[in-house]
């Protein structure tokens, strides 16, 4: 409010002169004011003494101050309501909130920082990090090629190419670029204890079999027979066809044994093709133990179930098959990549082929040192024996 040139004592004195008989025009000319101002004073201070005028002035000032405080508090409340939908976690979010308050509500930087509880030095900070555009581009390219890979596997792929950035930096860029993979809903897990089948830590100790179903672009359905080595995690065979009988399964297993060797045990569910007379006769002929899991307990065959999930997630859900030949070509290429390029978390982020080679080398080395009575160790649930954090630290 504009400050008056006259004090309350002067105003009361001028009004007393008018009451004593002085003309308004003479008083205005004498004191240098307009007649309108004189009549406004008379309406406001008429009949008051100096103390009453000072008290009125103090009340007006207090009222103006309270109005200003009320307006500021209402503005703060409105600004805070506008920020309710924003999650103010981290310096970047707070900088964005302060900029929003300054642009939308006209608040000063100091007031906006006080309102959201941020330090002004944090808001004014500008990053001094070097340009990461090249690394971000490489990370996006790898994520586009491997759309179902998380940041840990992408980190392993970049490290193979010679990238020196650490896991935390890759994770930060992974989050900033919005490359997160949508997670499936968690399934209910079985309650109780299990007694796993223990096998030696060597290739061909145990194979797992199962079928995966999918369909072509024209809607015709087909199935894939998957065979996995439980110790090395290698995919030994992935055979797509519109129909696979028990005799076909026996014939494919015979071909696989001629190429790779005889397994110590084969594990499967109770499907009709795998419990047929052809499979039972084949087991008797080749003297191979065939273990059937309990009905309704797919996690007793968890290795092949995990492999099926990876195939479904990374290949079947990402590809459109136009025929059986096309499906065989894509599946064969994916299996080759799975065995030779894809890092496997249960193997310390090695590829199945590299792990199998290392296991065979270690076996040959120990075989030269052990006695005839010594036995190979049992394969644990994760043959490498490393947690994902330990494995990634070992990589770099």
């Amino acid at each position: 409010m504009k400050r008056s040139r006259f004090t309350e004592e002067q105003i009361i004195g001028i009004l007393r002169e008018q009451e004593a008989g002085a003309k308004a025009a003479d008083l205005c000319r004498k004191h240098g004011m307009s007649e309108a101002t004189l009549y406004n004073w008379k309406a406001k201070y008429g009949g008051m003494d100096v103390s009453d005028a000072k008290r009125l002035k103090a009340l007006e000032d207090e009222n103006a101050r309270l109005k200003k405080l009320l307006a500021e508090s209402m503005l703060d409340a409105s600004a805070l309501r506008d920020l309710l939908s924003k999650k103010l976690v981290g310096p970047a979010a707070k900088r964005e909130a302060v900029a929003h308050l300054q642009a939308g509500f006209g608040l000063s930087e100091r007031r906006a920082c006080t309102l959201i509880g941020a330090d002004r030095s944090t808001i004014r900070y500008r990053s001094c990090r070097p340009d990461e555009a090249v690394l971000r581009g490489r990370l996006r390219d790898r994520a586009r090629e491997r759309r179902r890979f998380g940041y840990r596997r992408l980190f392993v792929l970049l490290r193979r190419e010679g990238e020196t950035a650490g896991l935390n930096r890759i994770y930060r860029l992974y989050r900033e670029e919005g490359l997160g993979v949508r997670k499936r809903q968690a399934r209910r897990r079985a309650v109780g204890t299990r007694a796993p089948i223990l096998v030696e830590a060597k290739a061909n100790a145990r194979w797992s079999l199962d079928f995966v179903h999918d369909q072509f672009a024209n809607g015709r359905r087909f199935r894939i027979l998957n065979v996995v080595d439980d110790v090395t995690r290698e995919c030994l065979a992935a055979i797509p066809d519109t129909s696979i009988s028990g005799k076909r399964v026996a014939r494919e297993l015979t071909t696989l044994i001629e190429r790779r060797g005889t397994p110590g045990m084969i594990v499967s569910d109770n499907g009709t093709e795998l419990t047929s007379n052809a499979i039972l006769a084949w087991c008797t002929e080749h003297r191979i133990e065939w273990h059937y899991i309990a009905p309704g307990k797919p996690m007793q065959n968890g290795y092949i179930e995990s492999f099926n999930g990876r195939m479904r997630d990374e290949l079947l859900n990402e590809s459109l098959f136009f025929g059986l030949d096309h499906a065989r070509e894509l599946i064969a290429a994916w299996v080759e990549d799975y065995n030779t390029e894809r890092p496997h978390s249960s193997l310390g982020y090695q590829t199945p082929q590299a792990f199998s080679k290392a296991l065979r080398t270690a076996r040959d080395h120990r075989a030269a040192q052990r006695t005839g009575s010594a036995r190979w160790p049992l394969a644990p649930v994760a043959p490498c024996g490393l947690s994902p954090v330990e494995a990634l630290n070992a990589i770099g």
Side-chain angles (χ1 to χ4, degrees), residues 149-163:
F149 274 21
Y151 74 95
R152 290 186 178 89
R153 285 194 173 90
L154 294 177
F155 164 74
V156 173
L157 296 180
L158 291 175
R159 181 52 59 89
R160 288 180 186 172
E161 298 174 1
E163 177 57 50

Side-chain angles (χ1 to χ4, degrees), residues 120-186:
R120 294 177 68 192
S121 61
T122 302
I123 302 303
R124 294 180 175 183
Y125 174 78
R126 295 297 177 264
S127 175
C128 301
R129 288 173 179 159
D131 185 22
E132 297 173 330
V134 176
L135 180 56
R136 288 175 184 268
R138 293 173 60 194
L139 184 61
R140 285 195 301 268
D141 292 341
R142 297 299 168 273
R144 253 193 310 270
E145 295 171 3
R146 312 277 187 162
R147 291 187 289 182
R148 300 303 300 179
F149 274 21
Y151 74 95
R152 290 186 178 89
R153 285 194 173 90
L154 294 177
F155 164 74
V156 173
L157 296 180
L158 291 175
R159 181 52 59 89
R160 288 180 186 172
E161 298 174 1
E163 177 57 50
T164 58
L167 179 64
N168 291 338
R169 185 179 178 190
I170 296 299
Y171 177 65
R172 175 176 59 81
L173 299 180
Y174 179 84
R175 292 288 301 273
E176 292 176 359
E177 294 296 323
L179 302 176
V181 180
R182 184 180 63 86
K183 296 182 180 179
R184 291 189 174 90
Q185 295 181 352

Side-chain angles (χ1 to χ4, degrees), residues 248-286:
R248 173 73 180 279
V249 173
R251 187 169 68 252
E252 295 293 346
L253 289 177
T254 302
T255 304
L256 185 58
I257 288 176
E258 293 174 355
R259 175 169 56 88
R260 186 176 175 87
T262 304
M265 176 188 295
I266 296 178
V267 182
S268 73
D269 57 16
N270 296 271
T272 54
E273 300 86 356
L274 305 178
T275 56
S276 62
N277 291 331
I279 292 296
L280 297 178
W282 182 86
C283 292
T284 303
E285 178 183 353
H286 289 79

